[in-house]
Amino acid sequence: MLVNGLTAAPTLRRVLDGMADADWAGAEPSAAWYGRLARAMQDAYAERLAGLGDAEPKGADSCTTHITVADKDGMMVAMTTTLLSSMGSRVMLPGTGIMMNNGVMWFDPVPGTPNAIGPGKRALNNMCPVIAATGGQPEIAVGASGGRRIMASVFQLLSFVADFGMEVESAAHHPRIDVSGPSGIGADRRLPEAVLAALRAEGEVELLEHGVMPINFACPNLIRRGPEGVVGISDAASPWSAAVAAG
């Protein structure tokens, strides 16, 4: 289940379509899988930026939070909320403690473009909470903070767990790639050389550290319900992420 409207969901659907006949064999993604994913994400972002619009500058600081929750009765919630830029508009509503966002920056200031600002219009954004169900029952809930990097991290973490059968903790620590536009690939420098070679065949690759600062990859969290119970993981690299278990 994907959110509707002007989020990253339409772009995620394009990536899912592009990966339908990718190499899904093995216990973890192959070099060919990463290469195919890089191409699928570049193609999806080319369509997104040309037809849907997205004025957020690449690499911009963001102030986004994602929470994933499951209860003992089987309900799952994946919720993303954002102030957009760091501290949003820097304006707090008097007496409330509520910070105002600066979400108008999502609009394209150029008139006549798909995401142009106008009366009654809603802006395109990058939020991408996902709930995956089996037999009509929610099994996996996932989402992330991190601007344009969100969709790539959500797709990979979901694939690691649902398609490759990784344990939740192993999936959270597995190196990822980031594609946030129609060109350019960010790659965790821990990826094997065979994977990096496959990525270089799809475009220019920048090797990145997956650390605390700078934030080169999105910050996802995921919950999975299985025969062993409910297992969750928060972002492995972020000191601001946390997980709480109900008693």
Side-chain angles (χ1 to χ4, degrees):
M1 293 179 285
L2 302 177
V3 291
N4 294 318
L6 299 174
T7 65
T11 307
L12 178 58
R13 289 190 185 97
R14 289 300 190 191
V15 175
L16 290 168
D17 291 342
M19 294 294 289
D21 58 350
D23 177 14
W24 296 98
E28 62 181 45
S30 66
W33 185 91
Y34 277 108
R36 179 65 173 270
L37 177 59
R39 173 52 52 195
M41 287 196 290
Q42 288 176 338
D43 291 345
Y45 263 103
E47 179 183 80
R48 177 182 179 87
L49 300 184
L52 299 177
D54 185 355
E56 179 190 344
K58 185 176 181 179
D61 290 335
S62 65
C63 202
T64 304
T65 301
H66 178 84
I67 60 172
T68 308
V69 182
D71 68 12
K72 62 182 179 62
D73 299 317
M75 178 180 289
M76 286 185 165
V77 174
M79 183 184 76
T80 311
T81 183
T82 185
L83 291 173
L84 188 55
S85 298
S86 180
M87 304 302 291
S89 63
R90 277 95 165 161
V91 174
M92 183 178 290
L93 294 178
T96 68
I98 298 174
M99 293 290 293
M100 297 293 289
N101 68 38
N102 62 335
V104 72
M105 198 175 81
W106 275 317
F107 284 110
D108 189 337
V110 179
T113 55
N115 196 42
I117 191 169
K121 292 192 65 175
R122 297 176 63 187
L124 188 68
N125 68 81
N126 298 293
M127 293 183 280
C128 195
V130 175
I131 294 178
T134 300
Q137 297 299 312
E139 180 181 344
I140 300 173
V142 59
S145 62
R148 282 195 190 177
R149 304 180 183 93
I150 289 174
M151 190 274 293
S153 73
V154 168
F155 177 87
Q156 287 170 92
L157 198 59
L158 183 61
S159 291
F160 294 165
V161 173
D163 297 308
F164 292 101
M166 291 187 187
E167 296 296 328
V168 169
E169 184 173 0
S170 298
H173 287 273
H174 198 77
R176 305 194 305 264
I177 66 172
D178 178 70
V179 175
S180 301
S183 62
I185 302 165
D188 191 318
R189 61 173 62 253
R190 296 174 298 161
L191 286 165
E193 185 55 43
V195 171
L196 297 178
L199 293 174
R200 292 187 180 107
E202 301 297 340
E204 183 177 350
V205 174
E206 181 181 7
L207 297 183
L208 301 170
E209 293 284 352
H210 189 177
V212 176
M213 292 293 290
I215 301 175
N216 292 315
F217 299 89
C219 303
N221 53 64
L222 177 146
I223 291 176
R224 180 171 193 174
R225 185 185 303 278
E228 73 283 3
V230 179
V231 180
I233 190 73
S234 59
D235 181 51
S238 172
W240 300 285
S241 67
V244 177

